[in-house]
Structure formats: C-alpha cells, structure tokens
Amino acid sequence: MTQPTTPISRRSILRTGAGAALAVPFAGSLLTSCSTKSTSTAPANKTVTVTSYGGSYNDQLTKTILKPFEKKTGIRSTLLANTSLAALKTQVHSGDVQWDLVELTAPEYVQAVNEDLLEKFDYGIISDKGLPSYAKAEYGIKYLSFLFVMAWDQKHIPDGQAPKNWAQFFDQGRYPTKRSVYGQLSDSSVLEAARLAEGIPFDKIYPLDVDAALRYLAKHPGRDKLIYHTANQEPVQQLTSGEVTLSTSFNNRINAARKDGARLNFSSSNGVLAGDYFVVPKGSRNKEAAFRLMNFMSNDADAGADFDQTTNLTLANTPALAKLPAAVADTLPTSPKLAESILVRDDEWWAKNLKATEQRFKLWQAGS
C-alpha cells in the first residue's frame, strides 16, 4: 500500500478495496452503493440486514460469520458497506428502519445511546458466556477489539531486550532512537501510554490528565524524538524499512506482518483496548434475528477462530481461543491471561473530550 495523502483511521482501512461495490450481495440480495435500504421481502426474523465498512473485511465477515450462521439457523444475511450513525438516526426518526445490525465506533455508540436510538440487547437470546467482560453493554456488544501496543524491529531490538512497559518504550537512554506514534487521537492511545509510563494505575487513568501526559512526552523521549503516523499500515512500513526501530501499532497489524514474514514483534501487556460495536436500531423489524446473529458471533468457537485467523482481528468470542494456537491466543485482548494487564479505553470520556483533546494535542505538536 502506498503512503496516504490524508489521515486514515483504523476503520477507514476496513473500507479499503470497497471501490464502487459498497454492498456485498449475500443470499441473493442485489443492492446499490447509495441505498440505505434492504431489498429483502422475507418474513420478519427470517433475514437480517447488517451494515459495516466494506472492502475485503466485508468479504471476510461474510465467509467466516454470515454464511456459517445461515447454514446453522436458516436466517439469511444482507451485508452493506454504508454504515453511518447519521443514516441510522434518520431511519429511527422517520420510523422507516431498514437496518438490523449496525457497526458503530465507540464514540458513536455513546452518542447513539444518549440520543435513544438503540434497542436494548436481549441477553436472554444472546448468551454472555462467550463474551469478555469489557464487551457486554446494555445497548450493544463491543464485538471487535484492538490492542494499542508497543512494537519493535527484531533485527535491531531482540525480544529479550525489547521494552516491557511504556516507561521503557519512551526511555531515550535505553533506546536512543526516534519512535513513531499514532497521531490520530480518535484511535491512538499515546496519551494513556504516557500516563501508564509515569506509573499511574489502570483505575486512575481516567479522567485523563492530558497536560500531564504531554509534559511526560516532552521529556520522555522529547518532542523532537517523536515521529507521527496517521495510518495503520505506516508503523509496519517504518519498522521494516529501518526508518524507526520502535513504534506504537495495533496487535492485528503486527500479527498480519509477522504472517507475511516481517521480523517484528509486540507486547500485549500494558496495551490499551479499544473497539467497535454492533448495535440494533430502535424499531428494527428483525431484532430477534440480529440478537441470534450476535449470539452466534459471541459463542460459536469455530466461527470465531476462523474470523480471528482470517482477518487478524479479534472477535469478542472467548470460546474461539481454544481453537487458536496458544502463541496467538495468549496475545489477543479476549485472553483471560491479559485481563489484568491491559487498559480498557474509556469510551464515554473520549466521546465527551475528543475534540478538545485533539486541539490541545495539535497545539502541543506545534510547540505551543
């Protein structure tokens, strides 16, 4: 992939490759890229319309989850690639709800709850036995999770000499080199990493002291020792090219690069967990089918493991761990072995403070 000309978030990467085909036709449905409607005329709860971000990710979601779900239940799925909080809101307010299961970012989820746009999840239909503790919410499930981690180039930093915590990662004396950090605060947890480096315990990170985090970064490693990336593929490019030897990244990106032969590694310990939600719009005519799909996604071990291995992402499905190699399973945010050593990003704090924090961060980057 070429270097981006504009900032790209984690989720926009999922759209890559969608091209003009913004809808993935599944089970016979034919949809256009500009439509927000399902064309299904099936009886209620015999079909479910899902919206996500498109590209190869939608193809993978169809293969690993939706097709096996149909085979097991007989419920057909239509997968769209035009997910949008604005469109969800329009459908709910108009009373013409066409979507049944909608992918939202964490801040969008908080906003949708606050605006009363969502159905409560029915945990009588959805078993929570397969869900990690962080994933279950009243109006949705954080079904997809990422770990913001410290990564290194094994050619220059052997695993035995790699940083074991954020204080070591930022220690300029220990690693006299520049570091690449993610500059998009909507996804980046570099400020949390700075507070963790100062020894602040997990339960005291929020409300986030932004100024304290920036003061730490100004000294460790120093403002001039930081390179900022704005797209998910950049850390892998920077590490493999030798531009940097240390970088923040996401666990799935480094795992994918390792599969391709890159000599990179990362530490899940002290990672910061974030993720996307699946929600059901208020007024969905197929909400029972949507809940049954969420139950399948959360508890079917084979489907969950296939999803994790195919996408290099992590489904909120703990039974899948037993189907994966231990070397992989133990690094995933769903692993019970990591429960006490990762920080769960506070979605409500970021939903309220993102804009102001982004402005403060940009001023700091500029030297103000």
Side-chain angles (χ1 to χ4, degrees), residues 36-63:
T36 61
K37 293 189 175 184
S38 162
T39 59
S40 173
T41 58
N45 294 305
K46 296 299 183 182
T47 185
V48 58
T49 298
V50 184
T51 66
S52 186
Y53 293 100
S56 60
Y57 172 72
N58 271 25
D59 297 335
Q60 294 163 346
L61 188 61
T62 297
K63 172 184 175 290

Side-chain angles (χ1 to χ4, degrees), residues 71-183:
K71 185 176 181 180
K72 187 170 185 176
T73 66
I75 297 172
R76 297 186 305 157
S77 302
T78 297
L79 180 58
L80 308 180
N82 53 346
T83 191
S84 158
L85 176 59
L88 182 154
K89 186 185 303 186
T90 297
Q91 291 182 30
V92 172
H93 286 170
S94 69
D96 184 20
V97 179
Q98 299 292 327
W99 296 346
D100 304 307
L101 198 62
V102 181
E103 183 165 3
L104 296 179
T105 67
E108 288 172 338
Y109 168 77
V110 174
Q111 183 179 342
V113 171
N114 292 339
E115 296 185 18
D116 194 27
L117 300 175
L118 307 178
E119 297 280 357
K120 283 187 178 181
F121 265 37
D122 188 340
Y123 288 102
I125 297 175
I126 307 167
S127 170
D128 60 4
K129 290 182 179 179
L131 290 173
S133 59
Y134 65 79
K136 180 181 177 181
E138 189 174 12
Y139 291 90
I141 286 175
K142 187 180 285 187
Y143 89 103
L144 194 66
S145 56
F146 311 85
L147 274 181
F148 181 85
V149 298
M150 58 191 87
W152 57 89
D153 175 6
Q154 292 175 305
K155 298 189 299 293
H156 295 90
I157 302 177
D159 290 348
Q161 299 173 20
K164 295 180 174 56
N165 52 53
W166 288 108
Q168 291 183 3
F169 177 87
F170 289 120
D171 186 344
Q172 189 63 18
R174 188 182 187 95
Y175 306 105
T177 180
K178 288 190 175 182
R179 293 144 180 80
S180 182
V181 297
Y182 199 5

Side-chain angles (χ1 to χ4, degrees), residues 48 70 81 98 110 144 153 233 242 248 273 299 337 360:
V48 58
E70 181 184 0
Q98 299 292 327
V110 174
L144 194 66
D153 175 6
Q233 69 270 28
T248 67
L273 184 147
N299 293 283
K337 294 183 178 182
R360 178 72 187 91

Side-chain angles (χ1 to χ4, degrees), residues 291-307:
F291 294 148
R292 290 181 67 185
L293 175 54
M294 289 310 306
N295 180 63
F296 180 81
M297 292 180 71
S298 304
N299 293 283
D300 189 282
D302 290 328
D306 193 12
F307 177 92

Side-chain angles (χ1 to χ4, degrees), residues 10 145-151 166 169-170 180-194 196 217 229 232 235 247-254 266-275 331 333 341-343 345 361:
R10 278 189 290 110
S145 56
F146 311 85
L147 274 181
F148 181 85
V149 298
M150 58 191 87
W166 288 108
F169 177 87
F170 289 120
S180 182
V181 297
Y182 199 5
Q184 297 271 86
L185 290 190
S186 59
D187 291 328
S188 174
S189 295
V190 65
L191 299 182
E192 285 92 338
L196 291 170
L217 292 175
H229 57 264
N232 291 277
S247 181
T248 67
S249 189
F250 293 99
N251 65 308
N252 60 294
R253 283 285 170 179
I254 304 300
F266 70 96
S267 172
S268 293
S269 182
N270 287 292
V272 185
L273 184 147
T331 70
S341 62
I342 58 176
L343 172 68
R345 188 171 162 105
F361 188 59

Side-chain angles (χ1 to χ4, degrees), residues 186-208:
S186 59
D187 291 328
S188 174
S189 295
V190 65
L191 299 182
E192 285 92 338
R195 298 299 285 148
L196 291 170
E198 283 201 270
I200 306 301
F202 289 165
D203 62 350
K204 302 296 183 183
I205 292 293
Y206 300 102
L208 190 60

